[in-house]
Amino acid sequence: LAYALVTTTTTTTTTTSEGGGGGDDSVVLFCEKSKVAHDRRLMKHLQDAGVRLAPYDDIFATLKSSEFADKKVLMDPARVSAALLEAVDEDNRVLASSPLALMKAVKNPQEI
């Protein structure tokens, strides 16, 4: 399990992964680094894509930080934990289905 925090100039999306944050157009993957560090190819791919790794439990402190005090955070209520939901001020929560889940629902001809 991991969390991805994607920050853009206009929105911040937090989603639980099936498969701190901040700054404009950044991606932070909160995961147990030991689970991915052994895979050099994966680590290179993440680095080339500009994805920064952070400890799994840091997601809570990151979302509670002053950096996110005034930012809207998209959270999928079907997937987000109660603890993560509580880490974001109620006024900043945008509860909606993850756009990632919707994209995964579209199958290409090879997947059908």
Side-chain angles (χ1 to χ4, degrees), residues 63-76:
L63 289 173
K64 288 180 181 180
S65 71
S66 61
E67 183 177 0
F68 287 92
D70 61 345
K71 292 187 179 175
K72 298 292 182 187
V73 180
L74 175 63
M75 305 177 99
D76 187 339

Side-chain angles (χ1 to χ4, degrees), residues 16 26 31 36 41 48 61 66-68 73 112:
T16 54
S26 67
C31 66
V36 295
R41 212 168 127 208
D48 290 349
S66 61
E67 183 177 0
F68 287 92
V73 180
I112 295 178

Side-chain angles (χ1 to χ4, degrees), residues 29-62:
L29 182 63
F30 294 86
C31 66
E32 295 301 328
K33 189 174 181 180
S34 63
K35 305 239 179 186
V36 295
H38 66 279
D39 188 334
R40 290 185 190 151
R41 212 168 127 208
L42 174 60
M43 293 297 291
K44 175 149 179 36
H45 178 75
L46 292 172
Q47 182 180 9
D48 290 349
V51 176
R52 189 167 52 88
L53 294 181
Y56 178 80
D57 289 329
D58 283 5
I59 183 74
F60 303 102
T62 299

Side-chain angles (χ1 to χ4, degrees), residues 3-15 20-28 30 59 62-76 84 88 92-100:
Y3 296 106
L5 183 60
V6 180
T7 306
T8 69
T9 53
T10 57
T11 60
T12 300
T13 304
T14 302
T15 183
D24 293 340
D25 300 326
S26 67
V27 178
V28 181
F30 294 86
I59 183 74
T62 299
L63 289 173
K64 288 180 181 180
S65 71
S66 61
E67 183 177 0
F68 287 92
D70 61 345
K71 292 187 179 175
K72 298 292 182 187
V73 180
L74 175 63
M75 305 177 99
D76 187 339
L84 194 58
V88 177
N92 292 341
R93 295 180 203 152
V94 177
L95 301 177
S97 295
S98 168
L100 300 175

